[in-house]
Amino acid sequence: MHDDSILVAIEAALSRPAFCSCGTQLHLVTHDGAAWLECVAFERPSRLPSSLALFVRELGHDREHVVDLPEAEVPALAA
């Protein structure tokens, strides 16, 4: 599936520099079925439980939703 609106949204997000409140530049990542601009702090390992680590990171770091990504099409099995 090729959707130009997804490319346009990603290009628009990358066309301007965006920075986290901690000062680092936000970068494009994909997870949870979407493309995001987010601080690298979200990728750092943590000894905290994942839900608590995410909560703490969201208090001091930024993440912006760019666009929802389409689900991958699964080809039908030939019978």
Side-chain angles (χ1 to χ4, degrees):
M1 178 177 170
H2 179 72
D3 189 350
D4 289 337
S5 64
I6 293 172
L7 296 175
V8 169
I10 290 173
E11 286 176 354
L14 295 175
S15 68
R16 58 175 171 70
F19 293 89
C20 178
S21 56
C22 73
T24 60
Q25 188 167 359
L26 301 180
H27 66 283
L28 187 70
V29 295
T30 58
H31 57 81
D32 301 327
W36 301 79
L37 282 175
E38 67 182 27
C39 180
V40 294
F42 286 95
E43 295 180 12
R44 293 185 188 132
S46 175
R47 290 183 279 175
L48 297 172
S50 60
S51 59
L52 181 58
L54 179 61
F55 175 74
V56 170
R57 287 175 177 148
E58 287 179 339
L59 291 176
H61 300 282
D62 299 323
R63 139 188 301 180
E64 298 176 21
H65 179 264
V66 175
V67 66
D68 289 324
L69 300 174
E71 292 184 25
E73 294 179 17
V74 179
L77 296 175

